[in-house]
Amino acid sequence: MSVNQATINDDVQPDPAALAGEPDGGAGAGAKKADRTDMVGKALGLLVLLGEEPRGASAAEISRRAELPFSTTYRLLGSLARDGFVDYEPDGRRYHLGLRIFQLGQRVSNHHGFAGTAMPVLRRVTAETGEATILSVRDGLHHLTVSKVDGPQIFRVTSDPGHLGSLSTTAVGKALVAFAEDAEREKLLAELPLEPLTGKSITDREAFRAEIAQVRRQGYAVMDEENEAGMRAVAVPLLNSQGHAFASLATAVPVFRLDLEDLIAHVPLLQEAAAELAARLPQR
């Protein structure tokens, strides 16, 4: 009998290192090659799913989310664990992203200048504002935090590098949408999921379209507890030579520490830093 998510128990799992073999190919070399290619895509999909689980997940949970048979999921996780892309926690029977992913991420960050070039600029902005400074890029229908410098205050902003967030409820996301290429912006305005993350999130499409138009007019975007209760932010785009955003830069604060008017007063500083970064960073 084949093993799948309907028949497996989360508490009964063999050693992941024992299931690191390749799946059986189809008939012929072409079928085997296609099967291997498909497995690569499935393995990468599992890494993406694990990236959305900060506390990790069991093989059965990942199997259900990936809509893959448990046996396939488990075999792929075993291969990924063997090569360091995934860590397995025996006590909790949970999988987490491994240090190999971190190493590759650092190399990507260095390649794009986010570490060596961007960080000194972010530190300078934080030194002047006393608050967290965040650099993000667009990753499909999300924004991806690539660099962040925390302020000296005890209360921290939780959007750490590697975090995938909403484009519609965040200041960095709105700036990326507003200053995207015209055709891409229209597509996002028509198709972007408008998730209600808080009671203040914009979920009406026409209201979101009006918000993005305002961001384009004023040159900056704000988030006032739309993404997370108790937090607000202001963001500006990093523009390429065509005037399109390839990243966005934000200052984020807890609402008890800075009102919206005082937060917006940081826009000129952010715009100056964004112009400097746009001139120095590779423009994707």
Side-chain angles (χ1 to χ4, degrees):
M1 180 178 69
S2 63
V3 181
N4 58 38
Q5 59 266 45
T7 60
I8 196 71
N9 185 314
D10 281 8
D11 293 330
V12 181
Q13 299 185 26
D15 181 358
L19 291 179
E22 291 291 331
D24 293 335
K32 290 181 180 179
K33 182 177 180 180
D35 197 32
R36 286 196 298 271
T37 302
D38 188 46
M39 284 298 161
V40 170
K42 289 175 181 176
L44 292 173
L46 297 185
L47 291 175
V48 172
L49 289 176
L50 275 177
E52 298 171 358
E53 299 288 346
R55 293 184 297 275
S58 70
E61 290 168 345
I62 299 170
S63 171
R64 285 190 289 269
R65 288 198 58 196
E67 298 181 351
L68 290 174
F70 180 87
S71 56
T72 300
T73 302
Y74 200 78
R75 181 167 57 244
L76 290 173
L77 287 171
S79 294
L80 292 168
R82 177 196 63 203
D83 294 330
F85 293 101
V86 164
D87 286 337
Y88 179 63
E89 177 192 336
D91 291 343
R93 298 188 176 92
R94 303 183 76 77
Y95 293 85
H96 306 264
L97 290 181
L99 283 176
R100 184 65 174 151
I101 295 293
F102 174 77
Q103 292 169 348
L104 293 175
Q106 289 297 101
R107 290 176 185 174
V108 171
S109 178
N110 290 333
H111 172 71
H112 287 284
F114 295 132
T117 302
M119 288 301 285
V121 178
L122 269 62
R123 290 191 189 103
R124 190 173 70 237
V125 173
T126 290
E128 294 194 40
T129 65
E131 302 293 348
T133 307
I134 300 168
L135 181 66
S136 291
V137 297
R138 187 162 72 87
D139 184 3
L141 298 180
H142 297 85
H143 77 81
L144 172 68
T145 301
V146 292
S147 294
K148 184 187 78 163
V149 174
D150 282 312
Q153 313 283 354
I154 295 175
F155 192 94
R156 293 181 68 250
V157 174
T158 56
S159 181
D160 290 320
H163 169 76
L164 281 174
S166 166
L167 286 176
S168 65
T169 64
T170 60
V172 288
K174 291 178 192 176
L176 289 167
V177 173
F179 292 93
E181 295 182 14
D182 293 350
E184 188 64 23
R185 182 175 66 256
E186 286 304 313
K187 183 177 167 122
L188 289 169
L189 287 171
E191 301 176 3
L192 188 66
L194 303 179
E195 301 173 292
L197 299 185
T198 75
K200 293 188 176 183
S201 301
I202 299 176
T203 56
D204 177 78
R205 197 155 295 279
E206 287 308 308
F208 183 62
R209 185 177 288 273
E211 175 84 355
I212 294 303
Q214 180 177 344
V215 172
R216 284 183 61 79
R217 285 194 301 271
Q218 65 195 16
Y220 64 88
V222 297
M223 181 279 292
D224 195 10
E225 298 191 89
E226 299 158 56
N227 187 69
E228 184 179 354
M231 295 298 299
R232 57 173 54 114
V234 62
V236 302
L238 275 64
L239 302 176
N240 62 21
S241 57
Q242 288 77 45
H244 301 136
F246 67 94
S248 59
L249 185 68
T251 292
V253 302
V255 296
F256 66 80
R257 206 150 61 214
L258 215 58
D259 63 28
L260 197 55
E261 183 178 353
D262 289 335
L263 180 61
I264 292 172
H266 291 311
V267 166
L269 173 64
L270 287 171
Q271 289 175 328
E272 180 183 350
E276 180 179 351
L277 288 170
R280 297 171 63 183
L281 288 173
Q283 300 177 7
R284 302 191 311 162

